[in-house]
Amino acid sequence: MESEDHEQLADEFERRADEMQHENAKLADEIDSVRKDWEAKRADGSVPGAVPRDEDLSSGSSDQAAQDGPAREDDDA
């Protein structure tokens, strides 16, 4: 009887793990979609507030700067 409880728990944990993997994949797709949308808006000069940052323009690589995130002052040291 005790082994049945363990098997039920194992099945429940596997089901939960599968659900989490599915949700993780959906979230990753959503993040990718939002990132592409934001990059498109930043490239469009007619979108207010979404113009490239000055550091993106000076570096010539807005894609890399967007991936790196904001620069911190202590990075120069």
Side-chain angles (χ1 to χ4, degrees), residues 61-75:
S61 176
S62 61
D63 291 338
Q64 186 63 39
Q67 290 174 1
D68 292 344
R72 295 186 344 213
E73 291 179 21
D74 60 349
D75 286 348

Side-chain angles (χ1 to χ4, degrees), residues 9-40:
L9 276 174
D11 290 342
E12 176 66 17
F13 288 144
E14 285 182 36
R15 185 185 64 76
R16 287 184 185 179
D18 289 342
E19 287 176 0
M20 284 196 232
Q21 285 178 332
H22 178 71
E23 290 299 317
N24 186 37
K26 282 177 34 179
L27 183 58
D29 289 343
E30 186 175 341
I31 289 170
D32 187 49
S33 174
V34 169
R35 179 178 289 125
K36 287 178 182 177
D37 181 54
W38 175 242
E39 289 173 356

Side-chain angles (χ1 to χ4, degrees), residues 41-68:
K41 287 178 180 176
R42 286 183 71 192
D44 184 354
S46 68
V47 177
V51 294
R53 298 178 299 212
D54 289 340
E55 62 194 40
D56 293 346
L57 296 174
S58 65
S59 70
S61 176
S62 61
D63 291 338
Q64 186 63 39
Q67 290 174 1
D68 292 344

